[in-house]
Amino acid sequence: MPGLYRLAWLILVSGVGAIATRSWNESKLLATAKLATLSLEDKVGLTYGTGLLTSQCTGDTQPSKSPDVPKFCMASSKNLFDLVSGFPGGINAAATFDRGLMRARGKAMGEESHGKGVNMLLGPSLDIMRSPQGGRAWESFGGDAFLVAEAGFETIMGIQSAAVMACAKHYTGYTQERNRFYYNSVIDDRTFREVYNLPFIRAVEANISSIMCSYNKVNGTPACSHPKLIGEQGVLKRDLGFQGFIVSDWGATHGTPNDTATAGLDMEQSGQWTAFGGGVYGLDRLLNSVKSGSTSVDTLNKLVVRILSPYFRLGQDQNFPKPNFNFQSSKSKQNLHVNVRSPEHTAQIRELGAASAVLLKNDNGTLPLKKVKSIAIIGSDARMQKKGCYLDACDNGTVSIGWGSGANSLDFLVPPDQAIQEFLLAQGEGTVLHSSLDDTLGGATKVASQADLAIVFVHATSGEISGGFTGINGNYGDRNDLLLWNQGDELILATVASNPNTIVVIHTVGPVLVEQWIDKVSAVILAGLPGEQSGPSLADILWGKVNPSGRIPYTIAKSQRDYPAQVDTSLGLLAVPTINYTEKLLLDYKHFDANNIEPWFPFGFGLSYTTFTIRSVNASTVTSNSSISVRVSMRVANTGEVDGHEVIQVYLGFPLDVGEPLRQLRGFERVFLQVGEEKIVEIEIAQQGMSIWSVERQAWMIPEGEFTVSVGTSSRDFSAVLKTRLEERFAQSAGPPVEVTPPTTQLTPMTLELPAGTMDNPFDPQTRSTPDPFKVSHSFHSNSDDISSSSSFPSDSDSEGLGTSTDSDSEEDEEDDGVDMSPAAILKRPVLWNREEGMSPAYLSRRYPLPVPAPRPVAKEERTSLARLFDPLGIFRVAEDLDTFHLSHHKRMEREREHQEKAAAKRRKEAKKLLKKAHRLNEEADEKEKKAEHLKDEMDSGSSSSESSDEGKHGHRGGKHKKKKKSKKKKKKKRHGHGH
């Protein structure tokens, strides 16, 4: 790339929603320059939050007396207060297998966060669904590390396209809610690298701004003070080249300020002590540690530069909006009730909800529905969800999202029963509806027998346990089992006994058991967590407006015992367990394949209303001097009678002697095809996807031997299986095979160091110099928007190892091209927004909040703060009753309308004042004109004193005056009309 192009501020764009940002080098220089202007107190104030009960946002940093010191606002979707959209859960984004929809969802969430003045959105979650019971697995993207990584990448790109920082969480080994503050995750090095760290590699390639460390311990050390994970010489910052900042989960810190800071934690949230952790940097502890010399100023400076770098990279120093809400108190004057919703976002939610719906069964073409005389709607999951539950842990209506801090607004939720009624009314075909929405077996039997068709709505939900041990019916965050809730299995059986023409709709956070009834029903739709447009998106599927193309991002087993990992719900809530990840690499479908277990529905499964064929599959290697990839091409045709999407999946099998799972997802593509249409589809497997982690060499290696490429539509349905060998210069021995069967002895902690001199080891200071933590190299992926922060995976083909770049466009060469990299020069170069792509036109065109729709009649909803979440015993609770912090949704809507009415009244009052002033001015003008006429008449009359002449003249003047008055009245009307 020529120097002149870099001179144009390194405008880096990549696909949908891209913005032109500063480079990491530029951002670091600006952060360093800002650092020089900060007092010691201001520096420390950027490293911790203001506390659980006093923060304006979910988390923020300390206020400063200086207006030049940034104050960060961090929030989750749940805590944006009001007038926001309710997006589908991450698990539904994964079910689309569509990178474009994944990025669009992130972009919309970023836009709404930007409109609320949020600097950093606390997501996405990149946790792996180790156990299907895991309470927060639905926030992430399923049970396959590759799918989680790709979905995370797209989500991050979308969020940050709106100049909002994304925060990838939770790092690492955080896979369940029970005992989350205390448990110890014991993970071997290879499993960690190939499974739990893989999504964060892609996050760094997406230029993630922040990464959140988790509550749990990893191999005996708390994740938020684990130097081998988050330190300057650890996995994230050194191995991957991560250049943003590490923030703790709320209350996940332990130890002294110096130990925590030197371990690599850049920011602590919320900064307050709780019963389970926190308060390490807060209460002036870090400040006093620096003043006493326990913590060096250099260490503090590194934290601050890392915190400020993404702030400058995304241009948040240039007119970024201030927070316009206060999630703690609805009575706060900071709540401006800014409406960040848009018709475009609503349409996106509906589209994603339909695209993520998985058709599991469709006997005899039951769906899509044709004209039906009568339909029975059965189950509480079809009706409006109750509002006002703590952390949205509700179980009294349709499940559109899980509960906890990852949940979102239910204010504009459209439940299935409402959407179905509206659809049928619009159709005007006279279909009769019968409803039983109380989950009673008698009611289900009665209405099912009266209808031609029955639709049963069932669900299973989960969420965050929180410090208050939030749960529903004894399910504390994690699910106790995989059964449907509210006797859902019995409800289905009772319905199908009365009406064999039964369709089942499942809203769920993850796998459920279907063994009891799956063979008895006509059709099954797995709707997942579709967000606020739950009802309309389902109606689109039921009546065929949208052809289903969703694929399940996990395996649905025949028994809970078939899964490789379970949450031990027998432990007390205050237990301190050690969780051994003995399943190692064999998660989800990989475990089922290795143990030859037959599931009900395999990973990636989903039906359509049409049929497709895949043929002419070929695989070829694409090589360069230092990298290799495999390009898989095929022809895909729609051979059915309905337009629709097919989801192509490519799985890679490694040589059998290297200890990898039988096959692993390494590529996917969602392709739209009209009836009779055929397209050529190409999917590329990157070099990282063909590599395994060698514990012996501490490096990514491509193993010797035969690889298998399988192309199909699920983890068990393949149209073609190809075998290939790589060129010898890329294939390397990865050391002795690693056993992947569960060991009989306890696993040893992660091995991250090797003896000096064994090889060019990135962890061995004697074989290489320590790189600048802000200096990075290129990765095997090439579709990042900013190559400066990609990760590196050393191999023999990269002889110089980490930190080496052969690309002439690397940022390290910028100064050689004559680009002025002084802070003053950088600030003069504006951060250019591609606003048409970076933010939706509907969002940008608004200058004032959209009209607030009238709320539906609902039960009183109370807003909740994080007080009970982190302070269940009320130790730090303020004297003021918590109820004063909350206000119901209905009252908020009323207040918004009152505000608008007051504003309108004020405008009318001002208009009246203007009219009155105009009247006065007109009258004064009339009076002056009248006096001038009199004066002129007197001058014309001369010295005549004849009474008759005077009378005549007066009569003449009177007539003239009347005519002029009439003319003036017309002028008045014209002026008054203009003023109004």
Side-chain angles (χ1 to χ4, degrees):
M1 185 183 296
L4 288 176
Y5 192 71
R6 277 203 300 278
L7 189 61
W9 315 306
L10 299 173
I11 299 177
L12 306 171
V13 294
S14 175
V16 179
I19 58 170
T21 61
R22 296 184 178 110
S23 70
W24 281 112
N25 269 5
E26 290 176 315
S27 304
K28 181 191 173 186
L29 289 171
L30 291 176
T32 304
K34 173 63 71 174
L35 179 75
T37 68
L38 302 181
S39 66
L40 178 61
E41 289 73 16
D42 285 338
K43 291 178 186 178
V44 174
L46 285 168
T47 65
Y48 69 98
T50 58
L52 302 170
L53 304 181
T54 56
S55 58
Q56 178 181 354
C57 306
T58 309
D60 49 22
T61 53
Q62 298 293 318
S64 171
K65 295 179 181 178
S66 171
D68 296 328
V69 180
K71 187 175 187 294
F72 285 48
C73 171
M74 291 157 274
S76 58
S77 297
K78 168 78 178 105
N79 294 315
L80 293 179
F81 193 67
D82 64 357
L83 302 176
V84 295
S85 300
F87 292 95
I91 199 69
N92 274 52
T96 67
F97 278 72
D98 188 315
R99 288 181 172 86
L101 291 177
M102 294 169 184
R103 186 175 293 201
R105 171 178 173 267
K107 176 186 170 186
M109 292 192 296
E111 288 174 359
E112 296 201 0
S113 299
H114 187 281
K116 287 289 187 179
V118 173
N119 299 90
M120 184 166 79
L121 182 63
L122 299 175
S125 169
L126 301 182
D127 302 322
I128 306 294
M129 185 186 281
R130 176 176 179 262
S131 166
Q133 298 166 262
R136 298 182 71 180
W138 60 267
E139 295 181 37
S140 185
F141 307 104
D144 181 81
F146 178 82
L147 179 59
V148 172
E150 295 304 301
F153 177 92
E154 298 299 341
T155 305
I156 293 162
M157 294 292 289
I159 292 171
Q160 297 193 160
S161 73
V164 172
M165 300 180 206
C167 177
K169 58 186 183 183
H170 305 83
Y171 197 73
T172 181
Y174 178 69
T175 56
Q176 67 182 57
E177 288 303 285
R178 203 173 189 90
N179 316 116
R180 71 171 181 171
F181 303 117
Y182 317 111
Y183 67 74
N184 177 29
S185 295
V186 178
I187 313 173
D188 68 277
D189 188 25
R190 183 173 177 180
T191 299
F192 163 70
R193 296 282 188 166
E194 293 189 20
V195 179
Y196 298 96
N197 198 51
L198 184 63
F200 290 91
I201 293 174
R202 285 296 269 153
V204 173
E205 290 178 326
N207 293 307
I208 186 72
S209 295
S210 178
I211 292 176
M212 182 188 295
C213 52
S214 52
Y215 288 112
N216 56 286
K217 296 178 181 178
V218 180
N219 295 342
T221 303
C224 287
S225 52
H226 203 311
K228 293 180 181 179
L229 294 177
I230 66 173
E232 294 295 333
Q233 303 304 311
V235 174
L236 283 177
K237 294 176 180 176
R238 175 168 160 165
D239 292 12
L240 306 188
F242 172 56
Q243 305 194 52
F245 63 94
I246 307 289
V247 62
S248 74
D249 206 337
W250 272 230
T253 50
H254 308 273
T256 67
N258 182 58
D259 289 345
T260 304
T262 55
L265 182 71
D266 302 303
M267 180 187 290
E268 179 192 35
Q269 288 295 336
S270 69
Q272 180 183 23
W273 181 87
T274 68
F276 49 81
V280 172
Y281 290 174
L283 301 174
D284 291 335
R285 292 185 67 194
L286 179 57
L287 178 63
N288 293 333
S289 180
V290 176
K291 286 182 176 179
S292 68
S294 298
T295 301
S296 69
V297 174
D298 181 60
T299 298
L300 175 62
N301 288 346
K302 288 180 179 178
L303 309 187
V304 175
V305 169
R306 281 192 170 274
I307 291 169
L308 291 176
S309 290
Y311 171 84
F312 285 110
R313 181 181 177 274
L314 293 176
Q316 292 189 355
D317 57 313
Q318 297 190 2
N319 301 317
F320 194 85
K322 300 294 183 184
N324 50 51
F325 67 100
N326 185 315
F327 92 104
Q328 295 277 7
S329 172
S330 57
K331 294 183 178 179
S332 171
K333 293 181 180 179
Q334 293 172 319
N335 287 321
L336 303 183
H337 306 284
V338 175
N339 190 340
V340 294
R341 294 171 54 81
S342 74
E344 183 180 75
H345 291 175
T346 303
Q348 287 178 355
I349 293 169
R350 182 170 180 170
E351 179 186 5
L352 197 150
S356 60
V358 183
L359 183 62
L360 293 179
K361 184 178 181 181
N362 191 24
D363 285 354
N364 303 317
T366 301
L367 295 173
L369 296 176
K370 284 75 176 177
K371 185 175 181 180
V372 183
K373 291 182 179 180
S374 58
I375 299 175
I377 300 177
I378 297 168
S380 63
D381 186 70
R383 71 187 181 203
M384 188 67 185
Q385 179 62 272
K386 178 183 177 182
K387 299 181 183 179
C389 304
Y390 178 51
L391 291 178
D392 282 342
C394 301
D395 184 33
N396 193 30
T398 193
V399 172
S400 61
I401 201 73
W403 80 74
S405 58
N408 54 39
S409 172
L410 300 178
D411 291 348
F412 300 92
L413 173 62
V414 183
D417 67 331
Q418 177 184 333
I420 291 173
Q421 290 177 40
E422 292 174 351
F423 178 86
L424 291 175
L425 286 173
Q427 291 292 101
E429 295 179 349
T431 302
V432 178
L433 282 180
H434 306 278
S435 299
S436 175
L437 306 180
D438 56 4
D439 294 327
T440 60
L441 303 185
T445 301
K446 179 180 179 181
V447 298
S449 64
Q450 297 172 348
D452 296 327
L453 170 75
I455 307 177
V456 185
F457 291 84
V458 291
H459 71 264
T461 187
S462 67
E464 186 174 9
I465 189 172
S466 80
F469 301 123
T470 311
I472 298 176
N473 300 327
N475 295 270
Y476 292 102
D478 307 312
R479 289 184 286 165
N480 293 336
D481 52 50
L482 303 184
L483 296 174
L484 293 170
W485 288 28
N486 298 347
Q487 62 178 6
D489 296 303
E490 292 79 2
L491 197 67
I492 295 170
L493 291 172
T495 301
V496 78
S498 296
N499 190 332
N501 192 18
T502 294
I503 298 170
V504 175
V505 176
I506 309 172
H507 288 112
T508 179
V509 292
V512 293
L513 300 180
V514 300
E515 184 80 14
Q516 298 183 49
W517 47 264
I518 190 65
D519 288 331
K520 298 178 174 64
V521 300
S522 300
V524 181
I525 297 173
L526 184 72
L529 302 173
E532 68 172 42
Q533 291 294 301
S534 174
S537 63
L538 177 64
D540 290 343
I541 295 291
L542 287 173
W543 276 274
K545 181 179 179 182
V546 174
N547 188 349
S549 62
R551 303 291 186 263
I552 46 176
Y554 44 75
T555 299
I556 297 180
K558 293 184 176 181
S559 168
Q560 184 172 331
R561 294 187 301 272
D562 290 344
Y563 291 99
Q566 310 286 330
V567 175
D568 189 352
T569 57
S570 66
L571 296 175
L573 296 177
L574 297 178
V576 186
T578 293
I579 303 174
N580 291 301
Y581 285 47
T582 54
E583 72 284 348
K584 295 194 173 183
L585 306 177
L586 300 181
L587 289 178
D588 201 83
Y589 65 90
K590 301 160 193 172
H591 166 80
F592 285 78
D593 290 345
N595 294 280
N596 198 26
I597 301 172
E598 189 68 25
W600 264 117
F601 300 104
F603 175 93
F605 176 84
L607 300 176
S608 171
Y609 293 155
T610 190
T611 56
F612 300 94
T613 59
I614 302 173
R615 66 183 185 89
S616 302
V617 179
N618 292 292
S620 59
T621 56
V622 181
T623 62
S624 66
N625 291 332
S626 60
S627 66
I628 186 171
S629 62
V630 173
R631 183 172 297 160
V632 184
S633 64
M634 69 214 73
R635 290 182 175 272
V636 185
N638 184 341
T639 57
E641 300 178 353
V642 182
D643 297 346
H645 292 85
E646 176 64 301
V647 175
I648 312 299
Q649 301 164 45
V650 176
Y651 293 80
L652 184 69
F654 285 81
L656 296 177
D657 60 350
V658 299
E660 286 291 306
L662 180 63
R663 62 181 67 91
Q664 303 180 61
L665 181 70
R666 284 296 182 263
F668 57 86
E669 192 71 35
R670 181 172 179 255
V671 184
F672 178 75
L673 294 163
Q674 295 178 341
V675 174
E677 184 179 10
E678 184 177 71
K679 289 182 179 178
I680 296 175
V681 178
E682 290 187 346
I683 297 176
E684 191 160 317
I685 303 176
Q687 182 167 331
Q688 166 62 30
M690 296 181 290
S691 304
I692 66 172
W693 180 256
S694 171
V695 177
E696 181 185 56
R697 297 192 179 191
Q698 285 291 288
W700 290 98
M701 316 293 290
I702 297 179
E704 295 177 325
E706 189 174 66
F707 288 79
T708 302
V709 177
S710 302
V711 179
T713 54
S714 79
S715 65
R716 292 204 169 186
D717 182 11
F718 301 111
S719 300
V721 178
L722 308 176
K723 296 185 182 299
T724 184
R725 284 181 176 271
L726 305 181
E727 293 184 26
E728 288 186 7
R729 63 194 177 101
F730 293 104
Q732 307 146 29
S733 172
V738 178
E739 183 65 44
V740 295
T741 55
T744 56
T745 58
Q746 185 172 348
L747 295 172
T748 56
M750 263 192 283
T751 303
L752 297 182
E753 290 97 358
L754 289 176
T758 56
M759 62 167 291
D760 186 16
N761 177 11
F763 298 98
D764 186 355
Q766 296 189 36
T767 61
R768 53 168 288 106
S769 59
T770 301
D772 180 342
F774 289 88
K775 183 178 179 182
V776 294
S777 60
H778 301 289
S779 81
F780 300 140
H781 294 280
S782 60
N783 56 341
S784 173
D785 76 322
D786 186 344
I787 58 174
S788 65
S789 67
S790 342
S791 33
S792 175
F793 307 97
S795 68
D796 288 351
S797 61
D798 182 9
S799 60
E800 296 188 45
L802 257 172
T804 300
S805 173
T806 59
D807 194 317
S808 61
D809 299 328
S810 63
E811 288 183 3
E812 286 73 19
D813 296 332
E814 287 169 13
E815 295 181 10
D816 297 336
D817 291 332
V819 178
D820 188 350
M821 295 296 288
S822 66
I826 295 171
L827 287 173
K828 288 180 181 178
R829 298 196 287 266
V831 180
L832 300 179
W833 280 66
N834 186 341
R835 297 188 74 86
E836 286 72 21
E837 293 189 14
M839 302 184 77
S840 65
Y843 178 82
L844 292 170
S845 65
R846 292 200 300 274
R847 295 294 181 269
Y848 302 98
L850 295 174
V852 181
R856 302 187 194 90
V858 296
K860 181 179 179 182
E861 176 202 9
E862 297 293 336
R863 284 227 25 114
T864 58
S865 71
L866 286 178
R868 283 186 288 164
L869 172 60
F870 294 102
D871 185 24
L873 302 180
I875 300 172
F876 303 103
R877 194 163 299 167
V878 292
E880 183 181 11
D881 189 88
L882 283 176
D883 288 341
T884 62
F885 282 85
H886 315 317
L887 194 65
S888 70
H889 167 71
H890 185 65
K891 288 184 178 179
R892 291 201 308 275
M893 293 296 190
E894 288 180 345
R895 187 170 62 182
E896 176 64 18
R897 284 193 290 274
E898 290 173 1
H899 174 74
Q900 293 178 347
E901 290 172 0
K902 288 180 180 178
K906 186 177 180 181
R907 289 193 295 269
R908 287 194 295 271
K909 187 175 181 180
E910 291 173 350
K912 288 180 179 179
K913 287 182 179 179
L914 290 174
L915 286 173
K916 189 174 181 180
K917 184 177 181 180
H919 278 297
R920 190 181 72 252
L921 292 174
N922 285 334
E923 288 173 357
E924 290 175 357
D926 289 344
E927 187 64 26
K928 289 179 180 178
E929 190 175 358
K930 184 178 179 181
K931 287 181 179 179
E933 289 288 345
H934 278 291
L935 182 60
K936 183 179 179 181
D937 289 341
E938 289 175 359
M939 292 175 66
D940 291 339
S941 64
S943 57
S944 175
S945 58
S946 170
E947 184 175 343
S948 61
S949 292
D950 287 343
E951 286 176 358
K953 286 177 184 178
H954 278 290
H956 176 70
R957 239 184 355 256
K960 249 181 110 178
H961 184 65
K962 283 180 182 178
K963 287 181 183 178
K964 287 191 176 285
K965 251 188 172 180
K966 190 174 182 182
S967 175
K968 288 169 196 168
K969 283 183 181 178
K970 289 181 181 178
K971 288 182 181 179
K972 281 185 184 181
K973 285 182 180 179
K974 190 172 183 180
R975 282 196 294 264
H976 292 175
H978 178 72
H980 180 72

